[in-house]
């Protein structure tokens, strides 16, 4: 079963056939326990975030060639981050990769004192010791979106923000910086929003009724932007005829033909590769943390933005 060299080909085949007949599968984790290592990377992710789903796929692709397995633990409406992390620790994970963690920084530092921790898609203060960060330059992504809209002739550009979500503060800052850069400081308009379609829809209802109504909207993420598109459609506000809309993440939602959303893309394979690479490096003997790795975003222009009429 271990592919050892002591058995003849005929004997090996008889044993393997017997295993197939009874449905036997070797217990990989039991083997690892004998070596005193689990070779498990624990991944905390948000169950309802398409962006996290794509990251998990990339993490699997990066971990398996490196000889590591993945243990997943979801954050959901009835299951918080603390419970998700406790489950991973109970599974004897050797390192943690946390996707968009919202736990207090002190808690992340506490975890980093126990095992290698990589935070993906959240900026942390330099004073948070031991936690490695892999993220997109969110502020640059927001600036790219505003630059694109301004080039199309838009001046009244609103931003639906992400509240306290990871990356939200950087995207707000990038939006404000870009608006000021273009001399549009008087047109800055930030509305409370969030990560979900419902939160985007609530903000869109305010915008649809506003006078004057903005000619362009930068939403916190693609889910939020999808809620905006739904409300505008129901309200008779045409996109991009009346209002241009930009999302963030380039999730599968943005690529659907009937949505065709202009969005700021994150390099998900690269983020996943770097996150796994840092976790594995720490486990394999490179004990020097790399404080932060920041990946450039790129604007992806589709059908929800157009020149202002």
């Amino acid at each position: 079963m271990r592919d050892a060299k002591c058995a003849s080909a005929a004997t090996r085949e008889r044993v393997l056939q017997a295993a197939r007949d009874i449905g036997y599968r070797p217990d990989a984790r039991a083997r690892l326990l004998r070596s005193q290592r689990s070779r498990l990377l624990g991944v905390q992710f948000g169950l309802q975030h398409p962006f996290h789903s794509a990251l998990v796929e990339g993490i699997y692709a990066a971990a398996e060639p490196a000889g590591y397995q993945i243990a997943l633990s979801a954050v959901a409406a009835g299951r918080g981050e603390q419970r998700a992390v406790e489950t991973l620790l109970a599974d004897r994970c050797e390192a943690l990769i946390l996707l968009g963690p919202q736990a207090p920084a002190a808690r992340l530092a506490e975890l980093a004192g126990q095992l290698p921790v990589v935070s993906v898609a959240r900026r942390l203060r330099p004073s948070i010791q031991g936690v490695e960060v892999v993220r997109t330059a969110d502020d640059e992504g927001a600036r790219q979106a505003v630059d694109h809209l301004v080039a199309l002739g838009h001046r009244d550009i609103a931003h639906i923000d992400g509240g306290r979500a990871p990356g939200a503060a950087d995207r707000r800052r990038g939006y404000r910086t870009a608006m000021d850069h273009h001399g549009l400081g008087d047109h800055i308009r930030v509305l409370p929003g969030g990560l979900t379609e419902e939160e985007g829809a609530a903000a869109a209802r305010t915008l649809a009724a506003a006078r004057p109504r903005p000619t362009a909207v930068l939403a916190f993420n693609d889910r939020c932007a999808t809620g905006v598109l739904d409300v505008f459609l129901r309200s008779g506000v045409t996109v991009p005829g009346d209002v241009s809309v930009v999302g963030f993440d380039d999730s599968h939602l943005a690529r659907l033909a009937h949505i065709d959303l202009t969005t700021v893309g994150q390099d998900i394979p690269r983020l996943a590769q770097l996150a796994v690479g840092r976790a594995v490096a720490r486990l394999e003997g490179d004990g020097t943390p790399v404080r932060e790795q920041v990946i450039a975003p790129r604007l992806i222009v589709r059908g929800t933005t157009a020149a202002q009429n």
Side-chain angles (χ1 to χ4, degrees):
M1 299 304 297
R2 292 185 292 108
D3 202 26
K5 303 302 181 184
C6 56
S8 69
T11 299
R12 185 187 311 279
E13 180 53 34
R14 286 198 302 272
V15 172
L16 293 177
Q17 184 58 53
R20 287 192 290 269
D21 290 344
I22 65 174
Y24 173 78
R25 294 290 184 274
D27 189 332
R29 293 195 182 186
R31 287 179 177 177
L32 291 170
L33 284 173
R34 294 180 61 188
S35 67
Q36 303 302 309
R37 289 198 59 185
S38 71
R39 299 191 73 84
L40 275 177
L41 304 179
V43 178
Q44 171 195 289
F45 70 104
L47 191 62
Q48 298 181 337
H49 301 318
F51 175 58
H52 288 189
S53 298
L55 276 171
V56 167
E57 185 175 352
I59 288 170
Y60 271 115
E64 291 181 357
Y68 284 80
Q69 299 179 40
I70 298 300
L72 298 177
S73 192
V75 177
R79 192 173 193 263
E81 289 190 5
Q82 181 172 345
R83 178 58 180 155
V85 168
E86 287 173 351
T87 300
L88 295 173
L89 295 177
D91 281 343
R92 297 182 67 247
C93 292
E94 295 185 337
L96 296 179
I97 299 175
L98 309 178
L99 307 187
Q102 299 192 50
R107 171 57 176 161
L108 298 181
E110 178 186 343
L111 288 170
Q114 304 174 42
L115 73 174
V117 175
V118 181
S119 170
V120 181
R122 175 182 171 182
R123 179 198 289 270
L124 292 172
R125 298 190 306 275
S127 59
I128 307 304
Q129 298 295 317
V131 181
E132 303 202 31
V133 174
V134 176
R135 66 178 181 87
T136 296
D138 291 289
D139 52 351
E140 172 60 24
R143 286 197 296 268
Q144 289 181 15
V146 172
D147 289 348
H148 168 65
L149 293 169
V150 171
L152 292 173
H154 296 278
R155 295 176 58 81
D156 195 353
I157 303 167
H159 176 47
I160 301 174
D161 83 351
R164 298 176 62 86
D170 285 343
R171 295 178 196 182
R172 275 194 303 274
R173 181 171 58 255
Y175 161 76
R176 291 180 178 277
T177 299
M179 292 291 283
D180 286 333
H181 174 75
H182 290 289
L184 301 176
D186 291 342
H187 294 273
I188 290 175
R189 191 185 327 191
V190 178
L191 287 82
L195 291 80
T196 68
E197 293 89 347
E198 291 78 13
E199 288 163 318
R205 283 189 281 271
T206 300
L207 291 175
R211 296 296 181 269
R213 186 173 58 213
T215 65
V217 176
L218 168 60
F220 171 69
N221 66 6
D222 292 344
R223 289 185 65 192
C224 180
T226 302
V228 172
L229 295 176
D230 181 68
V231 167
F232 282 174
L233 176 64
R234 296 172 187 272
S235 304
V237 178
T238 63
V239 176
D242 295 324
V243 181
S244 288
V245 177
V246 181
F248 208 111
D249 288 343
D250 191 29
S251 67
H252 72 274
L253 289 171
R255 303 169 204 157
L256 295 175
H258 66 286
I259 294 180
D260 198 31
L261 179 67
T262 294
T263 186
V264 177
Q266 303 195 58
D267 189 343
I268 291 175
R270 183 63 175 155
L271 291 168
Q273 182 184 51
L274 289 174
V276 171
R278 286 313 306 154
V280 170
R282 295 287 301 281
L283 292 171
E284 300 294 340
D286 180 4
T288 304
V290 177
R291 172 74 190 103
E292 184 177 66
Q293 297 181 86
V294 183
I295 309 304
R298 64 186 183 95
L299 182 73
I300 300 168
V301 179
R302 295 195 180 96
T304 57
T305 53
Q308 183 183 2
N309 295 326

